[in-house]
């Protein structure tokens, strides 16, 4: 994805780590979307109240108006890329 797509739209593009037992509380996105790409580890995405297992290689998108959270249920760090793009 080049600058022509993300210019003035990208709010977060980060390499994130959740330690074992850690989580990101469920939250709602308004006017932006967020993508998680799981690099390593395992856990659960809270997808609008539904728990979905995730592991390395999985990708997930939370669109504007939706909610999500993430928790590390494994014994290793859960490493993922987070990309937040304004609509």
């Amino acid at each position: 994805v080049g600058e022509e797509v993300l210019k003035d739209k990208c709010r977060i593009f980060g390499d994130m780590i959740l330690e074992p037992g850690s989580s990101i509380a469920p939250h709602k996105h308004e006017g932006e979307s967020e993508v998680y790409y799981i690099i390593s580890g395992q856990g659960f995405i809270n997808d609008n109240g539904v728990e979905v297992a995730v592991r390395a290689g999985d990708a997930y998108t939370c669109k504007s108006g939706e909610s999500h959270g993430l928790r590390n249920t494994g014994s290793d760090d859960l490493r993922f890329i987070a990309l937040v793009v304004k609509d």
Side-chain angles (χ1 to χ4, degrees):
V1 177
E3 181 179 351
E4 68 279 357
V5 174
L6 294 180
K7 184 176 182 182
D8 301 323
K9 288 187 168 190
C10 184
R11 192 168 69 79
I12 296 172
F13 183 63
D15 185 349
M16 317 292 277
I17 293 177
L18 279 179
E19 296 177 349
S22 296
S23 64
I24 298 171
H27 57 282
K28 189 173 186 176
H29 285 270
E30 294 290 349
E32 63 186 21
S33 298
E34 184 167 20
V35 176
Y36 288 160
Y37 176 75
I38 309 300
I39 297 170
S40 62
Q42 62 185 12
F44 282 88
I45 292 266
N46 179 320
D47 180 11
N48 293 292
V50 177
E51 293 277 309
V52 178
V54 292
R55 64 179 183 197
D58 289 342
Y60 166 82
T61 301
C62 179
K63 296 178 182 173
S64 180
E66 297 181 346
S67 63
H68 70 145
L70 179 63
R71 62 188 172 99
N72 182 347
T73 58
S75 56
D76 297 316
D77 287 346
L78 175 57
R79 183 174 169 217
F80 63 102
I81 297 295
L83 172 64
V84 177
V85 180
K86 299 176 197 172
D87 291 341

